[in-house]
Amino acid sequence: ELESPAEALEYRRTLLRDYAALVGADNDRPLSAFRSRMSKRDQAIGYGKSAMVFHMLRNLIDDDAFWAGLQAAAREGRGRRYAWSDLQRHFEASSGRDLGRFFHQWTERTGAPRLQFSDVSATKTDTGWQVSGTLRQTKPYYELAVPVRLQTAARSHDQTLPVAGGQTDFLFTVSERPVSLEADPEKALFRMLYPEELPAAISRLRASKVPLVVVSRGSEGLLDASADLLRGLQWHQAPVIDEIDFLSRRPTGRDLLVLGRPQSAELHPAPQADLSVSDGAFRLGDRLYESAEDVLFMVVESREDEHVTGYFLPGSIDAARDTARRIPHYGRYSYLVFTAGRNQVK
């Protein structure tokens, strides 16, 4: 936020993406149960979710009350073990508000709200346009103040909808033709993102429940050199097949990690906007990487379903072994370039 509003927005977006990619109903826990970080999943809850809770609290009670509550907690709490209930007490005193419902839903419950629009219509009138619809949330319901933004070619029109149950109706009356409608445009709420909102990133591989490792023809020695990569992604127990077996069986519904450059066109990574792969080299923008010390790791959306495919494309076995342990630490990125073990691009 000190850097710029755009940097703050991107940071909040990253926190939401990490939670959506790494945390599910089978491995979630409430903030009140968080004690320390033992995994990336723990980080997404104990660091990411709690950061968003403080951000929402600040927006709810205003800056003066927020900072006063933190200062009071710092004065009283130094050297003491503190619970969320202690923080609640300070923020209630500084704001003069009952915050019981807020702290309960964000610290005692697992999960996050899921929002969606329905029945949206735009109607031309004599003086402009009316845009109406319904904002819905799935159970269990949260009490939320949801910012909604209607964009026209000339300006933005903002409303804040109080949401407590399953649906809340809204109406915009504007003079210009509407262009887009968005809920929570500044990512100010901790909410569950949809798959369409998640980029193909390394964290998607880490969160996979259906992993499959594919060893390209001619890259059999790469499997052993990738051991640290598989452990870091928690894929060390994933099934492994070779490229020929993959093409004969054509398994579906899997997240894939392809080791080495595939020989078949079906497995070969499709060119991206500024990235292309060829035999023994890859090009990113205007630069060609063709050294034995160059490594590309990339994650792309599956061509057929909502799954992702990762590619580990090292210039040599030594480069693969040197880089494998580093890659899992870059969970929020879609592609990485290393040269002699040093990250060049992410």
Side-chain angles (χ1 to χ4, degrees):
E1 194 173 90
L2 292 174
E3 179 74 21
S4 72
E7 288 292 326
L9 172 59
E10 183 59 29
Y11 188 80
R12 293 191 296 271
R13 181 184 286 116
T14 297
L15 296 179
L16 297 179
R17 286 172 173 172
D18 286 349
Y19 181 86
L22 297 171
V23 183
D26 60 336
N27 64 5
D28 201 357
R29 58 177 170 172
L31 272 179
S32 58
F34 175 76
R35 293 295 179 271
S36 62
R37 179 185 65 184
M38 302 298 291
S39 66
K40 290 290 186 180
R41 180 208 59 146
D42 291 338
Q43 179 175 328
I45 299 170
Y47 287 65
K49 183 176 183 177
S50 62
M52 289 298 295
V53 169
F54 280 110
H55 181 71
M56 291 186 293
L57 177 63
R58 179 183 171 192
N59 289 338
L60 177 66
I61 65 176
D62 76 43
D63 270 17
D64 290 343
F66 179 76
W67 295 115
L70 281 184
Q71 289 163 356
R75 286 193 302 269
E76 182 188 290
R78 185 173 296 146
R80 293 178 52 193
R81 185 184 298 272
Y82 245 46
W84 285 101
S85 57
D86 294 305
L87 293 172
Q88 176 184 337
R89 172 168 50 85
H90 287 300
F91 287 117
E92 286 182 336
S94 65
S95 66
R97 300 181 58 164
D98 181 354
L99 299 173
R101 177 64 179 170
F102 176 89
F103 275 89
H104 174 76
Q105 71 179 11
W106 294 119
T107 69
E108 298 295 332
R109 289 165 55 176
T110 59
R114 188 183 290 275
L115 304 172
Q116 67 179 45
F117 285 123
S118 69
D119 305 318
V120 177
S121 64
T123 305
K124 186 76 170 69
T125 67
D126 293 339
T127 58
W129 292 81
Q130 286 191 338
V131 177
S132 62
T134 301
L135 182 67
R136 301 183 184 275
Q137 68 166 322
T138 57
K139 291 183 177 180
Y141 300 142
Y142 286 74
E143 289 185 5
L144 305 166
V146 181
V148 176
R149 177 171 296 165
L150 178 70
Q151 187 73 45
T152 68
R155 53 168 291 195
S156 298
H157 303 264
D158 294 302
Q159 291 186 23
T160 299
L161 301 182
V163 174
Q167 63 182 61
T168 303
D169 296 331
F170 62 87
L171 173 67
F172 284 90
T173 301
V174 297
S175 57
E176 309 93 9
R177 183 183 182 90
V179 174
S180 65
L181 181 70
E182 186 176 5
D184 189 28
E186 299 298 323
K187 305 297 180 284
L189 300 175
F190 186 75
R191 62 182 180 88
M192 183 61 72
L193 300 183
Y194 285 88
E196 295 85 351
E197 297 178 273
L198 298 177
I202 294 170
S203 59
R204 295 268 297 274
L205 291 175
R206 185 194 297 276
S208 176
K209 293 180 171 57
V210 284
L212 178 64
V213 178
V214 181
V215 181
S216 300
R217 280 182 287 177
S219 299
E220 289 76 15
L222 191 53
L223 181 61
D224 180 66
S226 303
D228 287 340
L229 171 63
L230 298 179
R231 276 192 293 270
L233 293 176
Q234 299 177 7
W235 279 47
H236 51 289
Q237 294 182 331
V240 179
I241 61 176
D242 61 33
E243 184 175 356
I244 296 176
D245 195 15
F246 178 86
L247 294 173
S248 65
R249 292 166 50 187
R250 300 186 183 278
T252 59
R254 294 276 196 163
D255 296 306
L256 305 179
L257 177 58
V258 181
L259 305 181
R261 288 171 173 78
Q263 302 301 306
S264 61
E266 294 150 272
L267 266 179
H268 195 276
Q272 306 300 302
D274 57 349
L275 178 64
S276 61
V277 177
S278 59
D279 290 340
F282 59 93
R283 182 179 294 276
L284 180 60
D286 295 331
R287 181 171 176 183
L288 179 67
Y289 294 85
E290 53 185 346
S291 164
E293 295 185 314
D294 293 330
V295 176
L296 171 65
F297 190 92
M298 60 186 292
V299 185
V300 299
E301 298 283 354
S302 169
R303 301 175 186 179
E304 300 175 353
D305 52 33
E306 74 278 8
H307 296 283
V308 293
T309 299
Y311 290 92
F312 186 32
L313 307 175
S316 64
I317 293 294
D318 287 342
R321 189 173 286 108
D322 186 39
T323 309
R325 60 187 172 85
R326 309 177 196 274
I327 292 169
H329 296 287
Y330 293 83
R332 64 188 54 171
Y333 298 101
S334 296
Y335 57 82
L336 307 168
V337 175
F338 293 86
T339 299
R342 287 180 171 270
N343 178 242
Q344 306 297 314
V345 181
K346 57 181 183 293

